[in-house]
Amino acid sequence: MVNSQNTAKKVTTQPLEWIISDTVVPYAEALSFMEQRATGIAEGTASECVWLLEHPPTYTAGTSAKSEDLLTPDRFPVFETGRGGQYTYHGPGQRVGYVMLNLKERGPDVRGFVRNLEEWLIQTLATFNVKGERRDDRVGVWVSRPELGATKEDKIAAIGVRVRKWVTFHGVSLNIDPDLEHFSGIVPCGVSEHGVTSLEDLGHIASTAQVDIVMKQKFEEIFQSAS
């Protein structure tokens, strides 16, 4: 019998792997993949990975989720997950980016990692002429909507991460052209006083393929300089 623990080879020097899925991926399948890849990265037997994909309509609960924020529990499948944050929605028209990196090698700075994720989204949006902004009191990337009111703003991208043994997984979601009404089944990220928007809602039409190209380019620029 071969002892796999003795024969496993370190691959931490391998280049980061990109996976880009053209069809929807069930949430449970993606979660299983991330768990296995994160373990492999921590053990030095798997390379870092970024996975761009879409899910079928799904609600997910982070570690801070409140039961009362799930307004229609029977509408879509609901998954509890170990990522940070509260309830969020995933579905077609939303690009999810799962980021599995080794912070032990890149620098054990979780706040810095999250800030780089925000910058990744902000620079991606800027390419499509959308000004994404941070907010000190809440997570995600926001867009000011003065045409709807002086203080009106909507969320266009969400962030929810988990770090285990200094390996990251879960990641970000960017609204391209999802059905925004699907967000009405939850209080997104526990924030009820602001809405949700998308590139299409803002009048910026972009295909998933176009967004993928920009996300890959901006990720490599930001995280190569940060590593």
Coordinates of all heavy atoms in Angstrom, one line a residue, residues 171-208:
G171 N -15.0 34.3 -1.0 CA -14.5 35.4 -1.8 C -15.4 36.6 -2.0 O -15.9 37.2 -1.1
V172 N -15.7 36.8 -3.3 CA -16.5 38.0 -3.7 C -17.6 37.6 -4.7 O -17.6 36.6 -5.3 CB -15.6 39.1 -4.4 CG1 -14.4 39.4 -3.5 CG2 -15.1 38.6 -5.8
S173 N -18.6 38.5 -4.8 CA -19.6 38.4 -5.8 C -19.9 39.8 -6.4 O -20.0 40.8 -5.7 CB -20.9 37.8 -5.3 OG -21.4 38.5 -4.2
L174 N -20.0 39.8 -7.8 CA -20.2 41.1 -8.5 C -21.5 40.9 -9.3 O -21.6 40.0 -10.1 CB -19.0 41.4 -9.4 CG -19.1 42.5 -10.3 CD1 -19.3 43.8 -9.6 CD2 -17.8 42.6 -11.2
N175 N -22.4 41.9 -9.2 CA -23.6 41.8 -9.9 C -23.5 42.4 -11.3 O -23.3 43.6 -11.4 CB -24.7 42.6 -9.1 CG -25.0 42.0 -7.8 OD1 -24.9 40.8 -7.5 ND2 -25.5 42.9 -6.8
I176 N -23.6 41.5 -12.3 CA -23.6 42.0 -13.7 C -25.0 42.3 -14.1 O -25.4 43.4 -14.4 CB -23.0 40.9 -14.6 CG1 -21.5 40.6 -14.1 CG2 -22.9 41.4 -16.0 CD1 -20.9 39.4 -14.8
D177 N -25.9 41.2 -14.2 CA -27.3 41.4 -14.6 C -28.2 40.4 -13.9 O -29.0 39.8 -14.6 CB -27.4 41.4 -16.1 CG -26.9 40.1 -16.7 OD1 -26.3 39.3 -16.0 OD2 -27.2 39.9 -17.9
P178 N -28.1 40.2 -12.6 CA -28.9 39.2 -11.9 C -30.3 39.8 -11.8 O -30.6 41.0 -12.0 CB -28.3 39.0 -10.6 CG -27.7 40.4 -10.3 CD -27.2 40.9 -11.6
D179 N -31.3 38.9 -11.5 CA -32.6 39.3 -11.1 C -32.6 40.0 -9.7 O -32.5 39.3 -8.7 CB -33.6 38.1 -11.2 CG -35.1 38.5 -11.0 OD1 -35.3 39.6 -10.4 OD2 -35.9 37.7 -11.3
L180 N -32.6 41.3 -9.7 CA -32.4 42.0 -8.4 C -33.6 41.7 -7.4 O -33.4 41.8 -6.2 CB -32.2 43.5 -8.6 CG -31.0 43.9 -9.4 CD1 -30.9 45.4 -9.6 CD2 -29.7 43.4 -8.6
E181 N -34.7 41.3 -8.0 CA -35.9 41.0 -7.1 C -35.6 39.8 -6.2 O -36.1 39.7 -5.1 CB -37.1 40.7 -8.0 CG -38.4 40.8 -7.2 CD -38.7 39.6 -6.4 OE1 -38.3 38.5 -6.9 OE2 -39.4 39.7 -5.4
H182 N -34.7 38.9 -6.6 CA -34.3 37.8 -5.8 C -33.7 38.2 -4.5 O -33.7 37.4 -3.5 CB -33.4 36.8 -6.6 CG -34.1 36.1 -7.7 ND1 -33.4 35.2 -8.5 CD2 -35.4 36.1 -8.1 CE1 -34.2 34.7 -9.4 NE2 -35.4 35.3 -9.2
F183 N -33.1 39.3 -4.4 CA -32.5 39.8 -3.1 C -33.6 40.1 -2.1 O -33.3 40.3 -0.9 CB -31.7 41.0 -3.4 CG -30.3 40.8 -4.0 CD1 -30.2 40.8 -5.4 CD2 -29.2 40.5 -3.3 CE1 -29.0 40.5 -6.0 CE2 -28.0 40.2 -3.9 CZ -27.9 40.2 -5.3
S184 N -34.8 40.2 -2.5 CA -35.9 40.6 -1.6 C -36.2 39.5 -0.6 O -36.9 39.8 0.4 CB -37.2 41.0 -2.4 OG -37.7 39.8 -3.0
G185 N -35.7 38.3 -0.8 CA -36.0 37.2 0.1 C -35.1 37.3 1.4 O -35.3 36.4 2.3
I186 N -34.2 38.2 1.4 CA -33.3 38.3 2.6 C -33.0 39.8 2.9 O -33.4 40.7 2.1 CB -31.9 37.7 2.3 CG1 -31.2 38.3 1.0 CG2 -32.0 36.2 2.1 CD1 -29.8 37.9 0.8
V187 N -32.4 40.1 4.0 CA -31.9 41.4 4.3 C -30.4 41.2 3.9 O -29.6 40.7 4.7 CB -32.0 41.8 5.7 CG1 -31.4 43.2 6.0 CG2 -33.5 41.8 6.1
P188 N -30.0 41.7 2.7 CA -28.6 41.4 2.2 C -27.6 42.0 3.2 O -27.5 43.2 3.5 CB -28.6 42.1 0.9 CG -30.0 42.2 0.5 CD -30.8 42.4 1.7
C189 N -26.7 41.1 3.7 CA -25.6 41.4 4.6 C -26.1 42.2 5.8 O -25.4 42.9 6.4 CB -24.6 42.2 3.9 SG -23.9 41.3 2.5
G190 N -27.4 42.0 6.2 CA -27.9 42.7 7.4 C -28.2 44.1 7.2 O -28.5 44.8 8.2
V191 N -28.1 44.7 6.0 CA -28.3 46.1 5.7 C -29.7 46.3 5.0 O -29.8 45.9 3.9 CB -27.2 46.7 4.8 CG1 -27.4 48.1 4.6 CG2 -25.8 46.4 5.5
S192 N -30.6 46.9 5.8 CA -31.9 47.1 5.2 C -32.2 48.5 4.7 O -33.1 48.8 3.9 CB -33.0 46.8 6.3 OG -32.8 47.7 7.4
E193 N -31.3 49.5 5.1 CA -31.6 50.9 4.7 C -31.0 51.2 3.3 O -31.2 52.3 2.8 CB -31.0 51.8 5.7 CG -29.5 51.7 6.0 CD -29.1 50.7 7.0 OE1 -29.9 49.8 7.3 OE2 -28.1 51.0 7.7
H194 N -30.3 50.3 2.7 CA -29.8 50.5 1.3 C -30.2 49.4 0.4 O -30.5 48.3 0.9 CB -28.3 50.7 1.4 CG -27.8 51.8 2.2 ND1 -28.0 53.1 1.9 CD2 -27.1 51.8 3.4 CE1 -27.5 53.9 2.8 NE2 -27.0 53.1 3.8
G195 N -30.1 49.6 -0.9 CA -30.5 48.6 -1.8 C -29.4 47.9 -2.5 O -28.2 48.0 -2.1
V196 N -29.7 47.2 -3.6 CA -28.8 46.4 -4.4 C -28.9 46.8 -5.8 O -30.0 47.1 -6.3 CB -29.1 44.9 -4.2 CG1 -28.1 44.1 -5.0 CG2 -29.1 44.5 -2.7
T197 N -27.8 46.9 -6.5 CA -27.8 47.2 -7.9 C -26.9 46.3 -8.7 O -26.3 45.4 -8.2 CB -27.4 48.7 -8.1 OG1 -27.6 49.1 -9.4 CG2 -25.9 48.9 -7.7
S198 N -26.8 46.6 -10.0 CA -25.9 45.8 -10.9 C -25.4 46.7 -12.0 O -25.9 47.8 -12.2 CB -26.7 44.6 -11.5 OG -27.8 45.1 -12.3
L199 N -24.5 46.1 -12.8 CA -24.0 46.9 -13.9 C -25.2 47.2 -14.9 O -25.3 48.3 -15.4 CB -23.0 46.1 -14.7 CG -21.6 46.0 -14.0 CD1 -20.7 45.0 -14.8 CD2 -20.9 47.3 -14.0
E200 N -26.0 46.2 -15.1 CA -27.2 46.4 -16.0 C -28.1 47.5 -15.5 O -28.6 48.4 -16.2 CB -27.9 45.1 -16.3 CG -29.1 45.3 -17.2 CD -29.9 44.0 -17.3 OE1 -30.4 43.5 -16.3 OE2 -30.0 43.5 -18.4
D201 N -28.4 47.4 -14.2 CA -29.3 48.4 -13.5 C -28.8 49.8 -13.6 O -29.6 50.7 -13.7 CB -29.5 48.0 -12.0 CG -30.5 48.8 -11.3 OD1 -31.6 49.0 -11.8 OD2 -30.1 49.3 -10.2
L202 N -27.5 49.9 -13.7 CA -26.8 51.2 -13.8 C -26.7 51.7 -15.2 O -26.2 52.8 -15.5 CB -25.5 51.2 -13.1 CG -25.5 51.0 -11.6 CD1 -24.1 50.8 -11.1 CD2 -26.1 52.2 -10.9
G203 N -27.1 50.8 -16.2 CA -27.1 51.2 -17.6 C -25.8 50.8 -18.3 O -25.5 51.3 -19.4
H204 N -25.0 50.0 -17.7 CA -23.7 49.5 -18.2 C -23.8 48.0 -18.6 O -23.9 47.2 -17.8 CB -22.6 49.7 -17.2 CG -22.4 51.1 -16.8 ND1 -21.6 52.0 -17.5 CD2 -23.0 51.9 -15.8 CE1 -21.7 53.2 -16.9 NE2 -22.5 53.1 -15.9
I205 N -23.9 47.8 -19.9 CA -24.1 46.4 -20.4 C -22.8 45.8 -20.6 O -21.9 46.3 -21.3 CB -25.0 46.4 -21.7 CG1 -26.3 47.2 -21.5 CG2 -25.2 45.0 -22.2 CD1 -27.1 46.7 -20.4
A206 N -22.6 44.6 -20.0 CA -21.3 43.9 -20.2 C -21.7 42.4 -20.1 O -22.5 42.0 -19.4 CB -20.3 44.2 -19.1
S207 N -21.0 41.6 -20.9 CA -21.2 40.2 -20.9 C -20.3 39.6 -19.8 O -19.4 40.2 -19.3 CB -20.7 39.6 -22.2 OG -19.3 39.7 -22.4
T208 N -20.7 38.4 -19.4 CA -19.9 37.6 -18.4 C -18.5 37.4 -18.9 O -17.5 37.6 -18.1 CB -20.6 36.3 -18.1 OG1 -21.9 36.5 -17.6 CG2 -19.7 35.5 -17.0

